[in-house]
Amino acid sequence: LKTAVQERYPGLSPRLKLRIFLAAPTLFDLSQEETVLMAEALLPHLSSMEPAELTRCIVGCARRQLVHEPFLQPVFQALREQREKMSPVDVISCIHAVHVMNFWTPKFRRSLGFMLMEHVKAWRIPAARLRDVLPALHALGYWPRLTGSLQRAVWRIAPEDLKYQVPPPPKKPLDGPQDDAEAQRTGWRRFGLQKIRPGMLRRISREAREAKEAPFLSRKHGLKDLTSNPWEGKRKRKEEERFVESLRQEAAEEAAEEAQAPPPTAVESFIRMARRL
């Protein structure tokens, strides 16, 4: 079977060649030279491969510890040309593979770093996935480029064997300066509600009692004191509206009666005047 595969390998399709290249070295226990021949047979098809297939080429070389520069450099170049199409899985797999082989080119390293930061900023790579390649991130120089919060999230779930020789993340910054002098020097301002000054609540409460509405504890933030009835002002406005509406209805009824009835007598005029009062 091994001999038959090696004889028919050059005439197979690119995808089938790639599958055999990934499985044959382990399945048939190929030597390093035989694996190199299979890898070189893939070189004419690199330009037509997708980023996922090129990533599998690099992963296959890492599994066999095949550091063959005449094959890896064209793969790196082809993957750099399609770096915008690389998925988060492709980026993480390439980072792990080149770290295992301890071989990469400076341009390919920069392209991987660019795509890694793009996916990280878009929240496409979870902290658990970055934890698995923590030594590789440090070796390729990507670890300091991550944000402090993401570094701390990865560090919390990483085991001790992955933390070896990796610098710890920066500590979480304090809530603010320790004293007023430092706050004034740095221009830092703490968020909070308006401070209560002597007499402020009494003045506002007196105005609120006159208006029969709930007192404002902070007019800037729209906070009211709920100890008083907050619906008193609304109830008063509704009563006034009902009173005005009743006056309009009475005026309309009187106008209709005057249009249909004969001129009122003196007694009727006196009764109507008394009702108005």
Side-chain angles (χ1 to χ4, degrees):
L1 181 60
K2 174 182 176 180
T3 304
V5 170
Q6 289 178 338
E7 291 177 355
R8 298 182 181 180
Y9 184 78
L12 299 177
S13 62
R15 291 188 176 181
L16 191 55
K17 282 184 180 180
L18 178 59
R19 294 178 181 178
I20 296 175
F21 170 71
L22 295 174
T26 304
L27 183 62
F28 299 132
D29 193 17
L30 299 180
S31 64
Q32 197 80 355
E33 291 76 10
E34 293 172 337
T35 307
V36 169
L37 292 177
M38 283 192 169
E40 290 180 346
L42 292 172
L43 288 175
H45 310 292
L46 295 181
S47 58
S48 61
M49 287 186 179
E50 298 292 332
E53 297 174 338
L54 295 172
T55 301
R56 294 174 66 186
C57 293
I58 300 175
V59 172
C61 292
R63 289 177 180 175
R64 292 290 298 175
Q65 290 292 330
L66 179 64
V67 185
H68 187 56
E69 294 187 19
F71 174 70
L72 287 176
Q73 289 186 355
V75 174
F76 291 164
Q77 178 63 26
L79 200 54
R80 283 184 60 247
E81 295 175 357
Q82 304 185 54
R83 67 176 186 177
E84 300 292 341
K85 300 180 181 179
M86 293 181 68
S87 65
V89 177
D90 296 338
V91 174
I92 295 297
S93 299
C94 287
I95 291 175
H96 176 69
V98 298
H99 176 252
V100 170
M101 294 186 296
N102 195 22
F103 174 76
W104 58 81
T105 61
K107 292 183 178 180
F108 185 64
R109 172 183 166 275
R110 287 195 297 269
S111 297
L112 280 181
F114 173 79
M115 292 308 304
L116 174 66
M117 298 309 300
E118 287 293 319
H119 290 307
V120 166
K121 291 177 182 178
W123 298 91
R124 301 191 189 101
I125 302 180
R129 189 65 60 83
L130 296 174
R131 171 205 58 192
D132 299 336
V133 293
L134 180 58
L137 294 177
H138 172 60
L140 274 72
Y142 303 148
W143 176 247
R145 297 174 59 181
L146 302 178
T147 59
S149 59
L150 183 56
Q151 288 186 25
R152 289 188 290 270
V154 174
W155 194 262
R156 281 195 301 268
I157 61 179
E160 293 299 328
D161 57 338
L162 295 180
K163 295 180 182 179
Y164 181 67
Q165 293 185 350
V166 178
K171 295 182 179 180
K172 185 177 181 180
L174 300 176
D175 294 338
Q178 301 297 323
D179 51 8
D180 296 338
E182 184 179 357
Q184 186 176 4
R185 185 180 69 256
T186 58
W188 184 87
R189 294 184 61 185
R190 183 186 298 274
F191 173 78
L193 300 179
Q194 183 180 2
K195 294 184 178 180
I196 299 177
R197 298 185 301 273
M200 183 180 68
L201 294 181
R202 290 194 297 272
R203 176 175 56 82
I204 295 177
S205 298
R206 184 167 58 253
E207 294 175 356
R209 284 195 298 271
E210 293 175 358
K212 294 184 179 181
E213 293 183 357
F216 277 92
L217 297 181
S218 175
R219 294 187 179 277
K220 180 179 179 182
H221 301 281
L223 299 180
K224 290 187 177 182
D225 184 10
L226 297 181
T227 55
S228 60
N229 188 359
W231 303 101
E232 186 66 28
K234 187 175 181 180
R235 187 180 297 109
K236 182 180 178 181
R237 287 192 296 269
K238 286 187 176 181
E239 291 178 357
E240 292 177 354
E241 291 176 358
R242 286 196 295 268
F243 177 73
V244 173
E245 185 66 23
S246 63
L247 292 180
R248 290 177 180 175
Q249 291 180 358
E250 291 180 0
E253 292 176 357
E254 291 178 359
E257 292 177 357
E258 291 178 356
Q260 297 177 0
T265 60
V267 177
E268 292 176 351
S269 301
F270 176 77
I271 293 174
R272 292 179 181 178
M273 182 181 65
R275 287 180 180 178
R276 294 171 183 170
L277 297 177

